[in-house]
Amino acid sequence: MVQYNEGFTPPRPMVDADSLPFWQVMQETKQLHFQRCAECKELMHPPRPVCHKCHSFNMEWVPSIGKGKIYSYVVYHRPVHPAFKVPYEVVLVELDEGVRIVSNMIDCEPDEIYIGMPVEVVIDQVFEDLALPKFKRQNT
Ligand code: ZN
């Protein structure tokens, strides 16, 4: 699980014109949403200006099911930023709707994680103005 060292502010995600709505809708709703093409209904992540399937610029935001499985993961034994306590993991979660997102776990140690592990999203209000989507074990 990812934990932060006292006295250090964790690094903020880089927010650009394409990803700004992703962060804003999560901050406002406290729910994970994904970008969807309003024309062909293709779900996309990370956010982008153009649909990769039909090339439409007409995008909308839809709530995620919030449940999925660990698709892959890595364990860091050296921190890439002084705010992170090691070891910690970075997981690639494939949501049930088929979209993948890079995140962290909040409730298990790196050696407890496995590929295919059922997980569900938790919105972590890490910054006053910006929340991060993280994951916990799915209650089955
Ligand atoms: Zn499309």
Side-chain angles (χ1 to χ4, degrees), residues 22 26 30-34 62-64 95 101 121 123 133 135:
F22 173 80
M26 189 151 41
K30 308 304 181 203
Q31 263 190 295
L32 177 62
H33 285 65
F34 287 116
V62 292
S64 170
L95 279 301
I101 186 168
V121 73
I123 303 303
F135 287 84

Side-chain angles (χ1 to χ4, degrees), residues 54-126:
C54 77
H55 304 158
S56 169
F57 288 90
N58 192 6
M59 300 294 180
E60 59 192 2
W61 293 87
V62 292
S64 170
I65 296 164
K67 292 186 175 183
K69 291 182 174 151
I70 302 286
Y71 184 83
S72 188
Y73 68 99
V74 293
V75 178
Y76 284 80
H77 295 275
R78 289 182 176 197
V80 296
H81 187 280
F84 294 112
K85 284 185 183 174
V86 290
Y88 69 97
E89 75 301 315
V90 174
V91 294
L92 179 61
V93 174
E94 185 172 83
L95 279 301
D96 288 350
E97 57 264 53
V99 182
R100 292 180 191 158
I101 186 168
V102 175
S103 184
N104 303 113
M105 296 296 292
I106 62 156
D107 68 343
C108 51
E109 297 300 325
D111 61 359
E112 298 174 298
I113 297 168
Y114 58 91
I115 290 173
M117 181 178 175
V119 293
E120 62 183 276
V121 73
V122 176
I123 303 303
D124 189 357
Q125 192 71 48
V126 176

Side-chain angles (χ1 to χ4, degrees), residues 37-57:
C37 174
E39 304 300 328
C40 75
K41 306 304 180 191
E42 178 81 355
L43 284 166
M44 287 164 276
H45 189 78
R48 61 202 71 175
V50 181
C51 173
H52 63 92
K53 194 171 174 188
C54 77
H55 304 158
S56 169
F57 288 90

